[in-house]
Amino acid sequence: MPLPSLPAQADRLDRLGLLPDDGTPAGADAVRSAAARLGRTAPPGALLVVHPRHLAPSTLAPRMRRTVRTRAGTVEREGFVVVDMTDVDAFGPVDVTVPDVDVYAVAAPDRGDDLANASPAEAQPVLAGRGRSPLTLAEGVYWVLQDPAVLEPNHCFMTIGSRLRRPDGTLDARTPAIWVSGGTGRDGTERRGAPKVGWCWWRNRHTWLGFASTDVRTA
């Protein structure tokens, strides 16, 4: 499903209560203005992103929504971050150039289904060879905010453009991903079908996780 226009995406972020009406660089007026400007230069199907310094993944994740059918009828599940990822906002861009601006656009993202069952370590050089850049976690969450249908059972994605760098400079082996909760374990049955921010190991494979990427970011 094609993404809406960038101005329409700004309107949706405002409706979700993410853009304050306070005149700041990430306020509603500023984001709408940036969306209008970017809409004149960004390629069709681009995704609007407010820099994580203004809206962190932990703030964005609960605004994700997914409609689920249950025995009691249709319900809407809200997104969440797994309980053992309290440091989610510390995962920053690694080997990815994110524009140092308040608002930017990501050219039509791809879920990377063809790379499902590859490990992040295996997928990274493949994406690089294609001239593509993996999405960051924040970018992935924005994608789900704008198009909830991009998450499907058994067809979800990793965002390996974000990694956690330890104080000694080495990278944490966890890599963030966004998928549909099965409602098991610590997630709780009440979250079955909800959009979920979690993590997987750098060298592990998962048949149901592709690798989201883009070919360009526009500032």
Side-chain angles (χ1 to χ4, degrees), residues 55-113:
L55 288 171
S58 63
T59 298
L60 297 171
R63 307 303 174 95
M64 295 189 295
R65 295 290 185 273
R66 189 169 177 276
T67 301
V68 180
R69 291 181 180 178
T70 69
R71 292 181 180 178
T74 301
V75 298
E76 192 175 66
R77 304 286 198 214
E78 70 176 32
F80 68 101
V81 179
V82 294
V83 297
D84 58 352
M85 202 176 181
T86 56
D87 52 0
V88 62
D89 294 337
F91 283 71
V94 172
D95 297 327
V96 169
T97 301
V98 172
D100 188 20
V101 294
D102 299 312
V103 183
Y104 64 97
V106 173
D110 180 80
R111 197 167 62 182
D113 290 354

Side-chain angles (χ1 to χ4, degrees), residues 91 120 158 163-166 170-176 199-204:
F91 283 71
M158 300 199 71
R163 301 286 303 277
L164 177 63
R165 193 174 294 279
R166 301 189 185 100
T170 61
L171 292 172
D172 191 285
R174 293 173 296 163
T175 52
W199 57 271
C200 301
W201 298 117
W202 178 249
R203 298 192 182 278
N204 281 11

